[in-house]
Amino acid sequence: MPSSLQDMRFLIHEVFDFAGHYQALSRAQPGEFGDPPDAALIDAVLDEGARFSEQELAPINRSGDEQGCRIDAGEVFTPTGFKEAYATYIELGWAGLIGDPAYGGQGLPESLSVFLEDLMCCANMAWTMYPGLSRGAINALNAHGSEAQKAAFLPKLLTGAWTGTMCLTEPHAGSDVGLAKTRAEVGADGSYAITGTKIFISAGEHDMAENIVHLVLARTPDAPAGTKGISMFVVPKFDLDGSRNKVSCGSIENKMGIHGNATCVLNFDQATGYLVGEENQGMRYMFTMMNAARLVVGLQGVCLAQAALHSSMDYATERLQMRALKGPVAPEKPADPIIVHPDVRRMLLTQRAIAEGGRALIYYTAQAADRFLHGEAAERERAGSLLDFLTPIVKGMLTELGFESVNEAVQVYGGHGFIRETGIEQHVRDARITLIYEGTTQIQALDLLGRKILMTQGKGLLIFLEEINRVTETLREPLPELAAALAATADEWGQLTLELSASAQQDMDALGAAAVDYLFYSGYAALAYCWARVAETAWRAQQRHRRDASEDDPYLAGKLATARFYFSRLLPRKDFHKQAIEAGPDSLVQVSDDALTAL
């Protein structure tokens, strides 16, 4: 099983104290969750989720990739075992884990679903996307749908009998949703006829559920141009009376990876749809789905890094090749295991720092999301600002680093990583799409710097810097070298942001030229905060362990070693991005188009 229950439990119970977190939420909103989840309930979710992932999902990951989905007369069929695994998922009640009890959900905190998604995605990303997309539809309908729409759609979605999708992208528009041409014309009964084509629709058609509920962006005839004229509609595959709606799958994409998930071209031919909320508010509603989905995609990057890390560690300890530079480590064998070589250790530690640090950042952000949804009013405002700020960092940075990590795994394996039977090249192919899903890295960077820094005067950053300063103080005594590096990073981050904001106000090209480097700088700084928290927790646990045992706990020692590696080897990457930001836009924008394209 490629997930790490030990690492998850360490973060959940020791670093972030989720049981205490849920108690605090319950005090803020009494009765919100009934009895707030305690450590025993959390562990039960982890144990059962791990069992399901190990027994049902991991065995069909490679076969699902090799077999892929197929289409026959507009009907899409998932790989062998996918439908059966989904039936087990429904039987176990996972679909309604966090849903509103009024519509059949279990009403548990949203972060519990992150733990389940972590386990499932580490085992089989392509399969996990089917139920994952349903949660986006559930959240959007719950937040913006009418009472009648909630009653009609949520109970089936929360049992898992129906699944959901997001239908945003069109062939000519790509990420520019404002260019969408899909039309919505109101009928005499108040429903709308939806006509248009949507592409890249994950889980858009399949054989795993009774019905598929599409949330579709379209524009009414008199809508204003651009994003201001976008509305959202719910368009079921089978209408509420059971009749087949006029939405069909024209084809499934022939993709680089995630072959087990059906990525569809959907054609809407006057399909019956129902307006969600108000006309021309679709972009605002869309972000209810998109922001949650961006955190999930960041988690996908972490999970693929985790899966590749486990394989790399196993291979490096078993593969014999050459001798250690300092002399034979295993003289009784024909060669030493490759884990003795310094650069192999660098690659393994890089993978570990990314996977485990990334998971910590996901869990920290999930707590902010919980507080935003369920905290007291003042706390909700603060948590919302922090969540808005962290979301593009999580999505952009963790997918970029996740892709780096799986490529490091190929390098650890050498030639064996390039062939299919080891499974490593599948991780590379599956991971690549995460850099594009829910907005490319460039879009995340512009969102971070433009909306979350300039438009808010850096409100979320300031909150996060307060958190960093708090952790720095607690870290000074046990781990002074990490505390000093973290404090210096926080000071530099704040100053760099002020300087860049001033430059952007004078020249918007400065913003565009610096955005991706600023995202990376912010990502390395955010991960430093997470590794500082992990290191402090591990150090204190190690002190307790030493009072009771004669030897150090290898797991805790590994955490401290990886934290030190991160601060000494990976955090300095921020300096390159700082230099690139300070170089300004001239080298990008002053070259003419003709000179740029002359080959």
Side-chain angles (χ1 to χ4, degrees), residues 86 119 155 164 199 247 252 258 287 294 315 317 323 333 344 353 389 403 405 414 509 545 558 585 593 598:
Y86 187 72
L119 291 162
I199 63 170
V247 52
I252 53 177
I258 55 166
F287 279 103
R294 285 172 174 175
Y315 187 79
T317 56
R323 291 294 187 187
K333 297 178 180 180
V344 173
F389 171 71
F403 188 60
S405 183
D509 277 339
H545 180 82
D593 292 351

Side-chain angles (χ1 to χ4, degrees), residues 66-86:
E66 293 175 344
Q67 184 179 346
C69 297
R70 64 181 178 88
I71 185 170
D72 184 4
E75 300 295 320
V76 174
F77 301 90
T78 53
T80 302
F82 272 47
K83 185 175 181 178
E84 293 77 10
Y86 187 72

